[in-house]
Amino acid sequence: MIKIGIIGYGYWGPNLLRNFFSVNGCSVIKVCDLRKKRLELAKKQFPSVGITLQAGEIINNDEIEAVVIATPVSSHYSLARRCLLADKHVLVEKPMAKSSREASALISLARKKEKILMVDYTFLYSLAVRKIKKLIDRNELGKIQYFDSTRINLGLFQSDINVLWDLAPHDISMLCHLIHENPRSIQATGISHTVNKLENIAYLTLKYKSGIIAHISCSWSSPVKIRMTLIGGDKKIIRYDDLEPTEKIKIYDTGYNIRSEEKKRKLLVSYRVGDIYIPKIDNQEPLKEMAEDFIKSIKSHNEPIANCKIGLKVVKILEIAQRSLKSKSKEIPYQ
Ligand SMILES: NC(=O)c1ccc[n+]([C@@H]2O[C@H](COP(=O)([O-])OP(=O)(O)OC[C@H]3O[C@@H](n4cnc5c(N)ncnc54)[C@H](O)[C@@H]3O)[C@@H](O)[C@H]2O)c1
């Protein structure tokens, strides 16, 4: 039985506690938050769990083997570092850290300490994304041409990060998982309508050497919630709507052929509109699958799906996007 401590019991922490409680082979013994009210809530919901206002009571507890960190991103590095130094396995919330330097330092420390360091990229565990990965890996879409994602709603304005750092990690982690190459260049634009100057609407574009273009729209200022991704290949196109309860994925056998008539400099386009296939996707909570993968990785010493290499890549992309935002949307090479 792996004993777990959770640090951070704000909005997301309760979802982690509920899921870790239902995973076999582990037990959450203590939850920490700086706010007493949140701890009282944890105790009310799970009377057997211990509570504390001091992260040190989890980090220095010899009984605890693994720590889950669900605090704001600015504290991820220092808490994860302390946990690794105290020989704990660590699951840290997304994004892994606020710079690639911090993320790399955590990876080196985890390697040195031979501990699992994982990032909660929940969507990598969704059965819809798993299905999409299978379809892409089996070349069912043909040559991938674009990834176009919209992640907007009337969101919680964060005080330490902009909308890109809050929402885009989900899409970037999916891109890193699904597309087997690094982007060639990154460009971002956005705007802040608040006094703290953190962008509440932003658009991110990634271009790849193979010709793929990825575009991610993020907003905390939309009256409607949309979680929609189109992944287009030259054979088929996937429409992934994460808010759909049962028909999350639709595969369109739709495309076009272009022939150019050189002499007349005219494009001849023939369209193909075929069937739409809707695969059956079971309704499983991805967060539970993620929690299970963490425990499995600790026991087997195997790398989890949402491993720290993806964690670092996402932070690198966000960092470059941030530089682009601050330099009049310059297109910046990914290195
Ligand atoms: N995977 C997902 O889908 C998903 C969804 C939402 C949030 N998140 C991530 O979860 C993390 C937390 O987000 P949130 O929305 O729950 O934020 P939040 O502000 O609602 O909660 C954070 C909690 O951490 C506590 N805290 C801060 N510093 C602490 C410390 N040093 N020790 C103990 N407690 C501390 C705060 O008191 C607060 O209750 C972020 O990294 C966010 O990106 C992930």
Side-chain angles (χ1 to χ4, degrees):
M1 196 53 99
I2 292 173
K3 299 210 166 93
I4 292 187
I6 295 181
I7 306 178
Y9 201 74
Y11 161 67
W12 198 242
N15 292 324
L16 291 161
L17 178 59
R18 176 172 52 78
N19 277 286
F20 273 104
F21 245 86
S22 68
V23 169
N24 290 330
C26 73
S27 87
V28 183
I29 62 166
K30 210 163 242 185
V31 171
C32 167
D33 201 286
L34 301 175
R35 295 182 290 166
K36 213 168 155 223
K37 277 226 157 90
R38 298 304 298 171
L39 293 175
E40 284 164 5
L41 179 71
K43 194 76 191 162
K44 198 169 158 204
Q45 290 167 328
F46 296 91
S48 66
V49 81
I51 51 173
T52 176
L53 290 162
Q54 305 289 335
E57 281 192 28
I58 286 181
I59 296 167
N60 302 319
N61 184 328
D62 290 339
E63 251 194 301
I64 292 176
E65 265 186 75
V67 181
V68 178
I69 300 170
T71 57
V73 62
S74 50
S75 56
H76 288 179
Y77 171 72
S78 61
L79 286 170
R81 183 171 179 277
R82 283 172 67 195
C83 293
L84 288 167
L85 285 172
D87 293 310
K88 314 289 183 207
H89 301 281
V90 173
L91 168 68
V92 63
E93 259 313 322
K94 61 86 195 162
M96 185 177 176
K98 60 181 181 354
S99 72
S100 54
R101 216 169 58 145
E102 287 184 355
S104 302
L106 290 178
I107 293 176
S108 305
L109 184 56
R111 264 198 209 122
K112 192 171 146 207
K113 291 282 186 178
E114 297 181 0
K115 297 291 158 198
I116 298 290
L117 171 62
M118 173 173 165
V119 188
D120 174 16
Y121 282 118
T122 321
F123 281 90
L124 306 192
Y125 295 90
S126 108
L127 293 183
V129 174
R130 285 185 179 197
K131 179 75 187 176
I132 294 172
K133 181 154 176 62
K134 262 192 203 150
L135 291 166
I136 291 178
D137 289 350
R138 287 204 307 244
N139 200 31
E140 298 228 1
L141 308 189
K143 190 175 178 316
I144 302 296
Q145 295 176 324
Y146 64 88
F147 176 104
D148 192 331
S149 200
T150 306
R151 189 171 294 277
I152 60 175
N153 60 307
L154 205 55
L156 278 178
F157 281 65
Q158 307 283 323
S159 53
D160 61 340
I161 47 171
N162 65 18
V163 71
L164 267 188
W165 283 77
D166 183 36
L167 299 182
H170 292 305
D171 304 286
I172 303 171
S173 67
M174 282 193 261
L175 266 174
C176 297
H177 185 58
L178 297 173
I179 293 178
H180 308 292
E181 67 177 297
N182 287 332
R184 178 171 55 77
S185 71
I186 292 163
Q187 192 172 19
T189 184
I191 194 156
S192 169
H193 297 115
T194 64
V195 283
N196 67 7
K197 306 269 185 257
L198 292 171
E199 290 78 7
N200 47 302
I201 300 176
Y203 307 100
L204 172 63
T205 306
L206 301 98
K207 289 184 191 154
Y208 292 77
K209 208 170 162 197
S210 63
I212 299 172
I213 185 162
H215 186 258
I216 301 167
S217 306
C218 297
S219 171
W220 290 324
S221 304
S222 160
V224 285
K225 182 168 179 171
I226 302 177
R227 298 287 185 261
M228 168 83 80
T229 307
L230 286 173
I231 304 170
D234 62 2
K235 282 202 250 166
K236 288 181 185 162
I237 299 164
I238 291 178
R239 175 186 193 268
Y240 164 35
D241 183 348
D242 195 59
L243 300 183
E244 271 281 336
T246 52
E247 299 178 359
K248 288 193 189 301
I249 297 179
K250 292 183 180 149
I251 303 153
Y252 292 75
D253 188 1
T254 293
Y256 51 83
N257 287 315
I258 298 180
R259 285 174 295 123
S260 57
E261 215 179 290
E262 301 248 323
K263 276 185 204 154
K264 292 183 188 164
R265 292 183 160 270
K266 238 169 91 177
L267 283 184
L268 297 175
V269 185
S270 56
Y271 294 94
R272 179 174 45 79
V273 182
D275 292 336
I276 302 169
Y277 169 64
I278 305 176
K280 184 179 174 298
I281 309 271
D282 289 333
N283 221 347
Q284 258 175 21
E285 195 170 0
L287 203 56
K288 179 161 182 219
E289 304 269 322
M290 188 282 301
E292 278 172 349
D293 197 26
F294 183 48
I295 300 305
K296 205 174 79 193
S297 302
I298 294 173
K299 291 187 173 172
S300 65
H301 305 285
N302 285 332
E303 199 168 67
I305 293 173
N307 57 63
C308 51
K309 283 181 244 155
I310 290 187
L312 172 62
K313 213 194 261 190
V314 173
V315 172
K316 267 190 182 175
I317 291 172
L318 287 169
E319 230 172 29
I320 298 172
Q322 188 68 29
R323 272 170 44 211
S324 174
L325 267 178
K326 297 298 163 213
S327 55
K328 296 189 180 150
S329 306
K330 207 169 113 189
E331 190 172 339
I332 300 179
Y334 174 87
Q335 279 156 352

